[in-house]
């Protein structure tokens, strides 16, 4: 095991400013690069057009290539900045604490995976027992497996003790009606206490 602490991992030290004069980029460098690209493209196009038997005026070809390169340069300068890399968090100052419900993100997808089946099952209890109840059972098994090393299938007696009678009965005998939100809140609280 490493002896690195969390403080070492999260420490931030600013880099010192570079010493000495910085070499300044020439203002002519981008212009010369553009002209070099233009000359190369004109040469390739001229050879290609002559190879297929077409003749185009050299000033027209140069003007066309320069126009295309200029438009490309302008659009590159006006393009929006690229999005931040995934997984990283961009600090934009103080957040107001509200959640953007219109955005498509992983939190909303996770909520929808529970919200839709719960909504569907409000009128039909068989949907609850077929869709939601198995998921709650999987959550209970996973929590017990992670914290205690058992599941309902591997050690039913110990699992019953860990879950408690109310949660065990709820998971093992399907309810006749869909539980109310208050009942589900109690069940979730019991799951979290495992």
């Amino acid at each position: 095991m490493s002896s690195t602490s969390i403080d070492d991992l999260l420490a931030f030290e600013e880099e010192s400013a570079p010493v000495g004069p910085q070499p300044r980029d020439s203002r002519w460098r981008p212009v010369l690069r553009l002209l070099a690209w233009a000359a190369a493209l004109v040469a390739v196009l001229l050879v290609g057009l002559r190879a297929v038997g077409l003749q185009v005026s050299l000033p027209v070809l140069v003007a066309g290539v320069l126009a295309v390169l200029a438009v490309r340069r302008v659009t590159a300068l006006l393009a929006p900045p690229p999005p931040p890399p995934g997984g990283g968090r961009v600090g934009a100052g103080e957040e107001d604490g509200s959640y953007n419900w219109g955005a498509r993100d992983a939190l909303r997808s996770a909520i929808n995976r529970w919200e839709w089946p719960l909504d569907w099952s409000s009128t039909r209890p068989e949907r609850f027992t077929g869709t939601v109840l198995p998921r709650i059972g999987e959550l209970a098994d996973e929590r017990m497996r992670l914290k205690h090393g058992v599941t309902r299938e591997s050690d039913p007696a110990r699992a019953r003790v860990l879950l408690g009678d109310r949660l065990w009965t709820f998971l093992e005998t399907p309810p006749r009606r869909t539980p109310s939100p208050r009942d589900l809140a109690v069940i979730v609280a019991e799951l979290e206490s495992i």
Side-chain angles (χ1 to χ4, degrees):
M1 291 205 45
S2 174
S3 64
T4 304
S5 71
I6 191 78
D7 293 331
D8 294 337
L9 294 173
L10 298 176
F12 175 75
E13 296 177 11
E14 289 193 33
E15 296 179 11
S16 60
V19 180
Q22 294 293 322
R24 195 164 180 181
D25 286 339
S26 170
R27 291 183 184 186
W28 294 102
R29 177 174 269 165
V31 173
L32 291 175
R33 186 178 303 142
L34 178 72
L35 290 175
W37 272 104
L41 285 173
V42 165
V44 168
L45 286 173
L46 195 60
V47 169
L49 289 173
R50 294 259 168 101
V52 294
L54 295 174
Q55 289 197 0
V56 178
S57 171
L58 185 61
V60 170
L61 190 60
V62 170
V65 168
L66 285 175
V68 168
L69 289 175
V71 167
R72 183 177 176 270
R73 173 84 175 160
V74 168
T75 56
L77 290 174
L78 296 177
R89 189 171 160 93
V90 177
E94 192 69 28
E95 294 182 8
D96 63 355
S98 63
Y99 181 73
N100 181 6
W101 290 101
R104 305 276 305 163
D105 66 348
L107 176 61
R108 186 69 193 154
S109 297
I111 290 171
N112 285 342
R113 279 195 299 267
W114 282 96
E115 182 181 24
W116 293 332
L118 284 171
D119 188 38
W120 295 337
S121 66
S122 64
T123 57
R124 297 181 59 192
E126 64 273 5
R127 285 188 178 166
F128 179 82
T129 58
T131 305
V132 178
L133 192 59
R135 290 182 184 179
I136 294 173
E138 289 172 10
L139 285 173
D141 283 339
E142 186 64 14
R143 287 190 65 89
M144 286 189 301
R145 186 188 66 78
L146 290 174
K147 293 197 174 203
H148 304 286
V150 298
T151 63
R152 290 180 296 160
E153 187 177 304
S154 68
D155 190 358
R158 179 147 162 76
R160 185 175 190 145
V161 170
L162 291 171
L163 290 173
D165 287 331
R166 179 182 178 146
L167 189 55
W168 177 265
T169 305
F170 175 77
L171 293 173
E172 293 300 319
T173 58
R176 284 182 244 143
R177 61 177 178 80
T178 304
S180 68
R182 180 176 291 160
D183 293 337
L184 284 176
V186 170
I187 290 166
V188 168
E190 288 180 15
L191 267 176
E192 289 177 347
S193 68
I194 295 176

